[in-house]
């Protein structure tokens, strides 16, 4: 069932668990994620970056792929199709017009006033179409889709101003997490996280969820995090599975066998995250 993120994240907020956002890169990944989350009876968010959309052919292809798989595989759990790090108003409009049920407008690289203005325009367009909106304040560090970012912790007053002046549904405040692999232990600011959650009173999103130790994930959930984004750890799990398979099956050339070789490791990782986040049996 394709839905926006409103109900699933509001439920997570009051139930003190988090819904996973797993990023998709192709048909097989989408299938593996849907099948495993259905098995675990967990709501799920399929995050798609602009780079992944380009790779897969375009907004319409991604949207039709997800809708068709939900139907063909008889998926009954709530599934949101979410634009991850939409870089412009135009990109969000394209996603919405092509059937995405949720968008992230990431104008965090601009000064706050500009971030607010761009985000406001996206909310205005999205609300009419029953599409939910996530925005970012501060800067999540690390590298995603080949773009490197310096980590900058979100200021509490900026977070409050962004939420109050835009009417967004969810906020992703940068609080020490990074995209990609961590160098050392992540330094999450839980005090600030809790304060922001109390003041803005909407579900918070944690980007850069891969590589964060389990106890810190649980602490983040207790401080108001309701959605956790995982991309890198799925990529690592899948590629390890494929590498191992190819080492022992050097003569195999059927792409279905090669891509499928990452399925088991990927599904195990999905299960681990769903159980850690507490979203199993919440569909
Ligand atoms: P990871 O790179 O830590 O998996 O984070 C993914 C993410 O936040 C996508 O927006």
């Amino acid at each position: 069932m394709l839905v926006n993120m409103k109900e699933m994240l509001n439920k997570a907020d009051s139930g003190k668990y988090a819904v996973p956002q797993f990023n998709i890169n192709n048909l097989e990944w989408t299938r593996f994620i849907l099948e495993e989350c259905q098995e675990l009876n967990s709501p799920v968010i399929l995050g798609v970056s602009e780079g992944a959309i380009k790779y897969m052919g375009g907004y319409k292809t991604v949207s039709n792929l997800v809708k068709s798989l939900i139907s063909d595989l008889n998926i009954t759990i709530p599934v949101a199709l979410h634009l991850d790090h939409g870089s412009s108003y135009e990109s969000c409009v394209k996603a919405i017009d092509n059937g995405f049920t949720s968008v992230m407008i990431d104008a965090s690289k601009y000064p706050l006033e500009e971030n607010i203005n761009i985000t406001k325009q996206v909310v205005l367009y999205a609300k009419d179409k029953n599409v939910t909106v996530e925005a970012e304040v501060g800067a999540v560090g690390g590298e995603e889709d080949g773009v490197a970012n310096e980590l900058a912790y979100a200021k509490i007053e900026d977070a409050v101003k962004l939420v109050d002046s835009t009417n967004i549904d969810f906020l992703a405040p940068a609080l020490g997490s990074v995209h990609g692999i961590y160098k050392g232990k992540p330094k999450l600011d839980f005090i600030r996280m809790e304060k922001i959650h109390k003041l803005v009173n909407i579900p918070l999103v944690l980007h850069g969820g891969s590589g964060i130790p389990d106890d810190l994930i649980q602490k983040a959930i207790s401080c108001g995090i309701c959605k956790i984004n995982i991309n890198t750890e799925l990529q690592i799990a899948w590629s390890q599975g494929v590498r191992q398979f190819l080492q022992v099956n050097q003569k195999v050339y059927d792409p279905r066998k090669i891509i499928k070789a990452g399925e088991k490791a990927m599904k195990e990782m999905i299960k681990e995250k769903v159980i850690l986040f507490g979203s199993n049996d919440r569909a």
Side-chain angles (χ1 to χ4, degrees):
M1 185 181 35
L2 197 60
V3 295
N4 68 27
M5 301 198 311
K6 188 104 193 162
E7 197 184 327
M8 62 167 91
L9 292 195
N10 285 344
K11 270 190 182 167
D13 203 0
S14 47
K16 289 274 173 221
Y17 60 94
V19 177
Q21 170 185 310
F22 294 119
N23 282 55
I24 58 172
N25 291 291
N26 57 24
L27 180 146
E28 289 84 352
W29 277 51
T30 313
R31 181 165 71 73
F32 301 158
I33 295 166
L34 289 174
E35 284 174 350
E36 189 60 20
C37 289
Q38 176 74 33
E39 180 73 25
L40 295 162
N41 198 26
S42 166
V44 69
I45 297 153
L46 301 175
V48 206
S49 68
E50 289 172 352
I53 290 170
K54 200 167 162 201
Y55 173 80
M56 285 192 266
Y59 294 78
K60 188 184 270 181
T61 304
V62 172
S63 172
N64 286 340
L65 166 75
V66 168
K67 284 181 199 156
S68 304
L69 280 176
I70 288 176
S71 165
D72 280 347
L73 300 173
N74 296 318
I75 299 296
T76 56
I77 50 164
V79 179
L81 174 57
H82 179 70
L83 173 67
D84 191 27
H85 293 283
S87 61
S88 64
Y89 171 77
E90 290 74 21
S91 172
C92 292
V93 166
K94 256 192 188 166
I96 295 167
D97 287 351
N98 282 289
F100 281 54
T101 57
S102 190
V103 292
M104 173 189 192
I105 172 68
D106 181 3
S108 62
K109 62 175 181 282
Y110 299 111
L112 184 66
E113 284 309 321
E114 208 169 336
N115 186 353
I116 289 175
N117 283 338
I118 299 170
T119 303
K120 248 187 188 165
Q121 289 177 43
V122 172
V123 172
L124 212 65
Y125 193 81
K127 283 274 141 96
D128 247 18
K129 297 171 171 69
N130 198 27
V131 168
T132 43
V133 180
E134 170 187 332
E136 179 171 320
V137 65
V140 174
E143 190 178 306
E144 200 175 55
D145 268 352
V147 183
N149 260 321
E150 197 64 40
L151 164 68
Y153 286 76
K155 292 194 183 113
I156 296 179
E157 61 274 23
D158 288 359
V160 172
K161 198 164 175 200
L162 179 68
V163 173
D164 283 352
S165 30
T166 59
N167 202 19
I168 49 171
D169 301 287
F170 322 107
L171 178 69
L175 292 168
S177 56
V178 304
H179 291 124
I181 294 167
Y182 284 87
K183 298 180 189 92
K185 220 180 168 189
K187 293 187 188 72
L188 297 181
D189 187 340
F190 292 111
I191 294 171
R192 212 187 294 210
M193 194 182 280
E194 204 164 18
K195 273 192 191 150
I196 291 176
H197 185 238
K198 278 209 176 101
L199 289 168
V200 300
N201 204 22
I202 58 172
L204 299 186
V205 177
L206 182 66
H207 281 253
S210 296
I212 298 181
D214 292 3
D215 57 327
L216 299 192
I217 288 284
Q218 272 154 354
K219 193 155 183 207
I221 294 172
S222 74
C223 292
I225 294 292
C226 306
K227 167 179 180 267
I228 302 175
N229 293 3
I230 302 285
N231 185 23
T232 304
E233 276 180 313
L234 283 194
Q235 294 187 339
I236 292 171
W238 177 82
S239 56
Q240 276 174 350
V242 171
R243 266 195 202 98
Q244 276 166 13
F245 174 81
L246 286 174
Q247 261 166 16
V248 279
N249 297 282
Q250 295 200 6
K251 292 207 171 101
V252 173
Y253 51 81
D254 181 341
R256 290 170 298 185
K257 289 191 178 138
I258 296 170
I259 298 173
K260 202 176 154 47
E263 176 175 355
K264 190 165 170 277
M266 221 180 116
K267 284 186 167 173
E268 278 166 9
M269 181 59 73
I270 292 166
K271 187 172 182 180
E272 193 182 312
K273 296 298 173 190
V274 163
I275 289 170
L276 174 65
F277 300 170
S279 65
N280 49 311
D281 291 324
R282 307 276 193 172

